[in-house]
Amino acid sequence: MDIRVKRSVLASDIATEIADYADVAKRIIDLAVFGAAQNRSYRRLADFTDTIGNRVSGSENLNMAIKYMYNAMTQDGLDVHLEPVKIPHWVRGKESAVMIVPRVKNLAILGLGSSVGTPPEGIEAEVLVVQSFEELKHRASEATGKIVVFNQPFVSYGETVAYRAYGASEAAKVGAVATLIRSITPFSINSPHTGWQDYQDGVKRIPTACITVEDAELMWRLSKRGQKIMIRVTMAAKTFPDADSFNTVAEIKGWQHPEQVVLLSGHLDSWDVGQGAMDDGGGAMISWEVLSLIKDLGLRPRRTLRTVLWTAEEQGGVGAQQYYNLHKVNISNFDLVMESDLGTFRPEALQFTGSDAARKVMEEVVKLLAPINMTKLETHGEGTDISPWMQAGVPGASLYVADSRYFWFHHSEGDTMSVQDPQDMNLCSALWAVVSFVVADLQDMLPR
């Protein structure tokens, strides 16, 4: 048989196999969106975040969050266990900043994760305002002994976050004593946004914090007029030895190939501001909700459906990297890895990374989402926690949502339950459940 003919026969066989799941998909969607499970993921998220609050890596709150989810998923009748990992333990402490020249004005700040503190009396210095790393290089001779304020415009999170990540070390190289970085957000109501930052080896570690868009622009205007600016910044930030933590794992074992896995995930940790409802409580809850929906319908897939709630994602996927190191020996048994960490707003598509042959399969799978009008398959599955698997060739998927507001609230006091919508979460849960169940139940694993 001609190889092209053979391929088209195989493709039509797969299409037929997947089309046969239309009834099962409809039952999952009906239960999640219109049935007894309607709004359940939202209620669970509200109970969880209202009870625990935010849960930064190394904190007692994160320990409480892990215990809470272990108990809740066990009570839900799932097979749950904890896998120990070591995670960073940074504590913000008391912090403040005030502009003292040309006038007195308190500045809203949030220290950046892993930042060193200032001396107890703070650091008082003149300010150099720049709009890019390029400008900092050109004005290097002016930076010595100054507090560098970065007022970089927001282009996209992926591009602009470099200022938060590397601003301190870049400024330290030219002699700055501290950095204040415009928050990485397209929208502000004088709200600072925190996040992790990375010191470069061999470069002096200087205190670094985010300021609001408004204050960064104010200082930029003052500096353009040639006015001298003085700031006093005080930060009690400290890094402690790595703490003990856990990735939280719940699963429904496959009936035919229990060793083969479709992995669903979100991260349980958050920053130490807001409630961590959006980032990433919602992703964690819909990944639990999938198992509840499948169990409620009395379904059991061929392969194991495994939900992992990662710890210490915000510090650079720390818990997930240790999970990968431990389980990569079985990499050939990982069928698909999924992560929701860009919000659980109204879903618009599934993002997917995999071979062309696997993409053809996934294009058929998303057709089953026609009842909720979400049949689009986009490129590039993404997620800090699943990226090690995808880099090693395992197919990966993520939720693509109407997320224009995501970075308004991201890593700020604004990340609360008020951002979440129960109907949107129902749709996310339905999409997540249909895709993961069908892939886990197909005759064959996704082609690599």
Side-chain angles (χ1 to χ4, degrees):
M1 187 187 280
D2 181 318
I3 189 82
R4 281 168 308 181
V5 176
K6 192 172 177 190
R7 272 198 198 125
S8 69
V9 171
L10 284 174
S12 71
D13 287 353
I14 290 270
T16 308
E17 184 190 357
I18 294 169
D20 284 345
Y21 284 94
D23 285 350
V24 172
K26 184 137 185 8
R27 283 169 63 205
I28 294 171
I29 290 166
D30 285 346
L31 179 59
V33 181
F34 310 108
Q38 186 185 44
N39 302 348
R40 179 168 62 188
S41 58
Y42 176 89
R43 283 196 306 273
R44 285 171 167 177
L45 179 60
D47 290 349
F48 171 67
T49 55
D50 291 347
T51 303
I52 305 290
N54 57 53
R55 35 202 190 276
V56 75
S57 180
S59 67
E60 191 43 46
N61 272 23
L62 180 54
N63 290 339
M64 282 162 49
I66 292 165
K67 283 193 189 104
Y68 180 107
M69 290 304 292
Y70 177 86
N71 291 334
M73 294 195 295
T74 303
Q75 279 164 13
D76 193 29
L78 300 168
D79 182 359
V80 191
H81 70 272
L82 300 175
E83 300 190 6
V85 290
K86 287 280 192 194
I87 61 170
H89 185 195
W90 174 84
V91 175
R92 171 181 308 287
K94 242 175 110 63
E95 57 188 14
S96 64
V98 60
M99 182 170 77
I100 41 188
V101 173
R103 62 183 172 90
V104 175
K105 182 191 188 301
N106 285 325
L107 307 173
I109 68 164
L110 280 175
L112 293 174
S114 84
S115 178
V116 295
T118 63
E121 68 280 9
I123 291 172
E124 192 172 303
E126 197 177 329
V127 167
L128 170 68
V129 188
V130 297
Q131 286 198 296
S132 66
F133 289 135
E134 215 36 49
E135 185 181 357
L136 179 65
K137 276 202 191 81
H138 286 314
R139 301 179 67 186
S141 60
E142 298 171 58
T144 312
K146 299 221 173 92
I147 293 171
V148 169
V149 168
F150 283 98
N151 177 43
Q152 77 291 339
F154 182 87
V155 180
S156 69
Y157 184 76
E159 195 172 322
T160 313
V161 76
Y163 286 89
R164 186 190 80 202
Y166 311 122
S169 286
E170 289 304 316
K173 286 174 189 171
V174 291
V177 292
T179 49
L180 296 173
I181 293 154
R182 170 175 161 152
S183 288
I184 314 302
T185 181
F187 176 81
S188 180
I189 45 171
N190 208 47
S191 43
H193 298 242
T194 190
W196 195 250
Q197 70 91 37
D198 290 301
Y199 286 123
Q200 290 170 36
D201 290 339
V203 179
K204 188 176 184 223
R205 298 182 167 208
I206 61 173
T208 181
C210 267
I211 55 173
T212 68
V213 170
E214 292 86 340
D215 287 339
E217 290 185 337
L218 165 69
M219 288 188 271
W220 171 248
R221 291 192 303 273
L222 292 171
S223 73
K224 287 311 276 172
R225 293 180 196 127
Q227 287 181 275
K228 180 178 172 179
I229 306 167
M230 296 278 293
I231 284 178
R232 184 188 313 114
V233 60
T234 311
M235 293 168 62
K238 260 202 186 82
T239 297
F240 294 91
D242 283 358
D244 292 314
S245 190
F246 301 92
N247 290 316
T248 309
V249 184
E251 58 187 22
I252 294 173
K253 282 259 192 289
W255 64 265
Q256 187 179 12
H257 304 293
E259 75 289 354
Q260 295 175 1
V261 177
V262 168
L263 184 146
L264 299 138
S265 67
H267 65 87
L268 211 50
D269 67 298
S270 73
W271 276 105
D272 56 344
V273 286
Q275 276 185 297
M278 178 191 80
D279 184 17
D280 181 34
M285 290 302 151
I286 67 164
S287 296
W288 168 21
E289 181 66 21
V290 167
L291 302 188
S292 300
L293 292 166
I294 300 310
K295 186 178 56 67
D296 291 350
L297 289 166
L299 299 168
R300 193 173 167 199
R302 239 174 253 282
R303 293 176 197 81
T304 295
L305 269 181
R306 180 180 299 165
T307 290
V308 185
L309 308 180
W310 311 111
T311 189
E313 183 276 342
E314 295 293 2
Q315 289 60 41
V318 177
Q321 186 61 55
Q322 288 168 75
Y323 180 89
Y324 175 75
N325 294 345
L326 185 66
H327 294 281
K328 69 183 176 192
V329 58
N330 298 314
I331 197 160
S332 61
N333 281 326
F334 280 77
D335 188 8
L336 175 66
V337 290
M338 301 168 64
E339 178 169 24
S340 167
D341 187 22
L342 283 170
T344 45
F345 301 132
R346 181 163 295 268
E348 295 191 338
L350 185 75
Q351 295 171 301
F352 179 73
T353 292
S355 66
D356 290 348
R359 172 166 291 280
K360 293 262 192 302
V361 176
M362 295 305 287
E363 279 166 358
E364 298 301 323
V365 172
V366 295
K367 287 179 186 172
L368 298 169
L369 296 163
I372 48 173
N373 199 23
M374 278 156 204
T375 55
K376 265 173 49 195
L377 190 69
E378 300 276 356
T379 48
H380 302 310
E382 59 184 302
T384 300
D385 301 301
I386 59 170
S387 62
W389 296 96
M390 292 192 296
Q391 281 159 16
V394 177
S398 53
L399 204 52
Y400 183 71
V401 295
D403 68 347
S404 60
R405 296 179 307 140
Y406 182 78
F407 291 108
W408 296 10
F409 306 110
H410 181 253
H411 296 183
S412 79
E413 290 289 3
D415 181 354
T416 68
M417 275 309 292
S418 301
V419 175
Q420 297 294 134
D421 176 86
Q423 277 83 23
D424 288 354
M425 288 191 72
N426 295 340
L427 293 168
C428 288
S429 300
L431 183 156
W432 221 221
V434 169
V435 169
S436 57
F437 176 79
V438 172
V439 172
D441 200 55
L442 292 174
Q443 287 286 344
D444 297 314
M445 285 177 66
L446 292 172
R448 295 272 163 109

